[in-house]
Amino acid sequence: MSSAATFGKVAVLLGGKSAEREISLMSGNGVLKALRTKGVNAHPFDPAQRDLFELKREGYARCFIALHGRGGEDGTIQGALEVLGVPYTGSGVMGSAIGMDKWRTKMVWIANRLPTPRYRILGANDNWKVVARDLGLPLIVKPANEGSTLGLTKVTAVKQLPAAYELAAKKYHDIALAEQFIDGPEYTASVLGDEALPLIRIEAPKGNYDYQNKYFTDDTKYHCPSGLAPKPEAALKALALQAFRVAGCSGWGRIDLMLDSRKKPWLLEVNTVPGMTDHSLVPMAARAAGLSYPDLCLRILELAHVG
């Protein structure tokens, strides 16, 4: 692992303007503190409050992106940093843009014959009975371009579909995606460089891994080791790495997936800037692999993308 001095002046990009600003501030401040404990000359930088050109003027040599959601995770900030010539952590422009768009991620996975739940794009004039018939009930409705389970609804009856669509499409100003519900345990595979870290099995209250249960309660249980036998775990990790790569992602990230009642895996989504809070999954998986939170932050910084 590189020494702290080799990184120069580092900006931790945090906050931003997305619906996930609150979580980004939590992630970014955690990363900032960790990097400083390792001797890195790190400083907070909120693009919602400062001009990006200041990064160049103030001599920043590298950026740790801790921005979640639109504007920070969708290729926008990555493209700007490439124009400025400042190396940054995580996926490049293409991988970030694809990863943020659940619809296009699915298209890439399907084109590569990777397993992902059946879906359809919703419109205000859809026949909700037909949607339910095509995908079955229950089903999931969510925005195509929001993370952290924002705007997600588990629909158990046809009459719930209009409200679920309104939440996903109108409140979050987004394309709404309806998806086949997979009934089974949820896992997440953290990717660091060229390897997948130990899997985590997520056990949420009543199976509802929503925004509140993800970040603000202690009721959700995380199992690492996951409880899977070595061979099935290795197979899921290999699938996650393949899914990550074909989406154009690199550096670090996370793949969420589920197993159905027949133990068949289903890829849900990719996260190119996962949370780095005290509830977050990548740091948890890293600990299981013997990597402390500060060392994880240093390793991610070391893997910075140079455009």
Side-chain angles (χ1 to χ4, degrees):
M1 194 173 289
S2 302
S3 67
T6 63
F7 298 123
K9 189 177 180 183
V10 174
V12 177
L13 304 188
L14 75 177
K17 298 178 180 179
S18 84
E20 298 178 68
R21 176 179 172 82
E22 182 181 10
I23 305 304
S24 173
L25 290 169
M26 292 165 61
S27 288
N29 282 311
V31 168
L32 180 67
K33 182 179 178 181
L35 290 177
R36 285 176 169 174
T37 67
K38 300 299 288 187
V40 176
N41 181 21
H43 304 266
F45 192 102
D46 187 346
Q49 299 173 350
R50 302 182 65 186
D51 191 322
L52 279 181
F53 286 103
E54 292 180 30
L55 290 169
K56 202 71 174 176
R57 286 196 293 266
E58 295 180 13
Y60 284 100
R62 192 169 296 215
C63 289
F64 191 118
I65 299 177
L67 297 165
H68 305 315
R70 301 186 205 203
E73 202 170 350
D74 59 4
T76 306
I77 201 85
Q78 289 78 7
L81 292 173
E82 292 201 7
V83 170
L84 290 173
V86 181
Y88 56 88
T89 56
S91 295
V93 175
M94 182 181 68
S96 298
I98 292 173
M100 189 65 198
D101 190 321
K102 297 179 181 72
W103 176 21
R104 287 168 176 83
T105 298
K106 278 183 169 290
M107 288 194 284
V108 169
W109 284 344
I110 290 167
N112 284 273
R113 299 183 179 179
L114 298 182
T116 187
R118 292 182 297 111
Y119 76 99
R120 62 177 288 171
I121 301 301
L122 298 179
N125 298 319
D126 278 354
N127 183 319
W128 303 120
K129 290 182 180 179
V130 172
V131 172
R133 184 195 68 202
D134 288 350
L135 296 176
L137 290 173
L139 58 81
I140 298 296
V141 174
K142 57 188 177 183
N145 292 285
E146 288 292 350
S148 289
T149 63
L150 287 165
L152 182 146
T153 305
K154 180 181 177 182
V155 173
T156 57
V158 173
K159 64 182 180 181
Q160 298 170 344
L161 272 166
Y165 169 77
E166 287 288 322
L167 175 65
K170 300 296 173 62
K171 181 177 179 180
Y172 290 99
H173 309 287
D174 204 349
I175 295 170
L177 191 76
E179 185 178 66
Q180 171 194 4
F181 176 73
I182 305 300
D183 190 8
E186 182 170 352
Y187 297 85
T188 191
S190 301
V191 176
L192 185 62
D194 294 324
E195 68 173 317
L197 300 177
L199 294 182
I200 298 171
R201 178 166 57 87
I202 301 165
E203 187 181 341
K206 300 179 182 178
N208 186 23
Y209 192 46
D210 61 9
Y211 184 77
Q212 184 68 23
N213 285 328
K214 183 178 282 192
Y215 292 110
F216 298 109
T217 74
D218 294 316
D219 297 332
T220 300
K221 296 177 182 177
Y222 303 99
H223 303 276
C224 190
S226 67
L228 289 172
K231 192 172 180 179
E233 169 136 352
L236 284 186
K237 288 166 69 173
L239 174 64
L241 278 174
Q242 185 183 6
F244 192 73
R245 288 166 181 157
V246 301
C249 302
S250 59
W252 76 296
R254 210 183 73 223
I255 296 284
D256 297 335
L257 63 162
M258 298 185 77
L259 290 180
D260 65 19
S261 58
R262 295 176 296 170
K263 307 299 183 185
K264 179 180 177 180
W266 297 91
L267 296 162
L268 300 181
E269 59 185 80
V270 58
N271 297 272
T272 55
V273 187
M276 289 289 282
T277 72
D278 55 3
H279 275 64
S280 295
L281 302 175
V282 176
M284 190 181 303
R287 282 196 300 273
L291 198 62
S292 70
Y293 182 90
D295 283 336
L296 169 65
C297 293
L298 208 60
R299 177 62 179 144
I300 292 170
L301 191 60
E302 188 178 53
L303 291 167
H305 180 95
V306 180

